Amino acid sequence: MNNLSESIKMASIYTASDKIVARMIEDELLIVPIEEGIADFDDALYSLNNTGQAIWKLLEQKKSVTAICMDLAQEYDQTVEAIEKDVIDLLNKLLNMGIIVEDKSII
Amino acid sequence: MRELRLSSRNLHLLMGSVLDHKLVQKMRIKASGYSMSPFIRNGQIITIKPIVNKKILFGDIVVAVIQKKREKILVHRVIGKKNKQYLLKGDNLDTDDGWHHEKQIFALIDLAKDKKYRAFQNIQNALIALGSKTGMLNKILLPVSRFIWKRMYHE
């Protein structure tokens, strides 16, 4: 969806793009990107695993990437450093696919 | 993150959410099965659009959800219309699927590649539906057209 390679910023807050549909179905979070008014079920239909879903829930709570890492570290009883790489990897993927966008309305 | 295949029930739920989204005009999905052959082939990517103002025409190919032993999504043609009930049938099948309430039909298939062909598509759909309803499509029209096609292009 997005050709530019972007990297997430730790202090920033990210939110679901309005160009996707995300729906929880039978314990799976399914994401369908919408491009030029077309939702392509054949090319791009994604599901987030449990960790991905935990990150998604925290994104919905408008938490910064740093706050998400801290919350997950606490929840999974890990160090922030151990959690950070997975969170950043997933968010970078989601950002570059246009599934999430930086929320600049919150400073 | 992974790509996945969905059960009929989950596909129905997801399609409902997608069609409700303000930005969605169409969906693309891979058809599976041979019940609508040759008009929709197994593996063909089909375009699905929402139903506007409950306007479903005789001959339209629709996406409907039916309940048999489990929920099933059908992409079949409307070959009959009575009040809010629609008779559906796969073009390549001998028997119809029975009457279904309009609430069970949640989208239309858009086969017209260009807007200017849409009116022509409606006439063509109605003729195919008539052929499908009378059984002439499978028994006479398609075999004859296949025969002519082979004679013209393969001999």
Side-chain angles (χ1 to χ4, degrees):
Chain A
M1 290 179 86
N2 196 338
N3 293 326
L4 297 170
S5 181
E6 287 182 72
S7 291
I8 59 132
K9 300 167 205 152
M10 294 303 286
S12 292
I13 291 170
Y14 293 86
T15 186
S17 161
D18 61 359
K19 291 179 180 169
I20 62 142
V21 175
R23 171 145 186 185
M24 196 77 187
I25 294 175
E26 282 184 6
D27 299 330
E28 279 201 285
L29 181 72
L30 302 175
I31 297 171
V32 187
I34 302 160
E35 204 163 357
E36 292 172 2
I38 297 174
D40 200 332
F41 277 48
D42 186 55
D43 249 11
L45 178 59
Y46 303 102
S47 163
L48 292 183
N49 62 17
N50 290 340
T51 317
Q53 287 177 33
I55 295 170
W56 190 266
K57 277 179 193 160
L58 293 166
L59 285 174
E60 287 177 333
Q61 293 169 27
K62 306 276 181 200
K63 295 204 173 192
S64 69
V65 180
T66 305
I68 289 172
C69 293
M70 286 166 68
D71 278 18
L72 288 176
Q74 203 171 14
E75 192 181 330
Y76 291 104
D77 201 17
Q78 299 266 331
T79 62
V80 174
E81 291 73 28
I83 292 281
E84 221 173 62
K85 188 184 175 304
D86 287 342
V87 173
I88 291 171
D89 280 355
L90 179 67
L91 292 182
N92 270 331
K93 263 190 203 168
L94 296 175
L95 181 67
N96 285 294
M97 292 168 84
I99 291 172
I100 58 169
V101 290
E102 190 177 352
D103 188 342
K104 290 177 179 163
S105 65
I106 302 167
I107 300 167
Chain B
M1 204 156 56
R2 64 190 172 85
E3 292 189 37
L4 73 163
R5 296 270 161 217
L6 293 172
S7 69
S8 285
R9 170 151 183 76
N10 291 348
L11 183 61
H12 174 216
L13 291 171
L14 189 60
M15 282 170 121
S17 295
V18 169
L19 286 170
D20 282 343
H21 193 284
K22 61 181 189 299
L23 291 181
V24 174
Q25 295 153 10
K26 289 176 181 179
M27 284 189 284
R28 266 201 291 257
I29 194 164
K30 192 181 276 182
S32 73
Y34 299 87
S35 63
M36 285 300 288
S37 182
F39 303 103
I40 297 175
R41 295 179 185 277
N42 185 41
Q44 182 181 337
I45 304 296
I46 50 174
T47 304
I48 295 172
K49 59 182 183 180
I51 298 167
V52 181
N53 300 328
K54 297 183 178 178
K55 195 178 168 192
I56 303 168
L57 302 175
F58 177 78
D60 275 348
I61 304 174
V62 296
V63 187
V65 60
I66 63 161
Q67 197 73 43
K68 286 197 169 172
K69 280 179 187 166
R70 57 188 174 85
E71 196 172 291
K72 198 177 169 190
I73 291 181
L74 288 181
V75 176
H76 281 177
R77 196 180 296 278
V78 173
I79 61 160
K81 204 174 160 184
K82 198 165 57 183
N83 300 325
K84 291 180 177 179
Q85 298 283 329
Y86 293 86
L87 183 62
L88 305 181
K89 183 176 175 291
D91 292 335
N92 197 30
L93 301 177
D94 290 331
T95 54
D96 62 59
D97 310 307
W99 291 88
H100 297 281
H101 194 270
E102 68 175 11
K103 282 180 185 167
Q104 291 173 266
I105 298 172
F106 63 96
L108 296 170
I109 302 299
D110 188 6
L111 289 179
K113 287 184 175 66
D114 196 310
K115 273 184 184 171
K116 63 186 176 189
Y117 295 122
R118 199 145 287 143
F120 170 72
Q121 184 77 53
N122 290 344
I123 298 166
Q124 190 190 35
N125 279 345
L127 290 172
I128 294 168
L130 207 59
S132 185
K133 192 176 183 177
T134 54
M136 280 175 65
L137 185 73
N138 268 347
K139 292 183 178 80
I140 302 167
L141 298 175
L142 289 177
V144 168
S145 58
R146 278 188 202 113
F147 176 76
I148 294 169
W149 183 266
K150 274 186 188 170
R151 290 293 292 260
M152 281 175 71
Y153 295 101
H154 298 285
E155 283 181 11

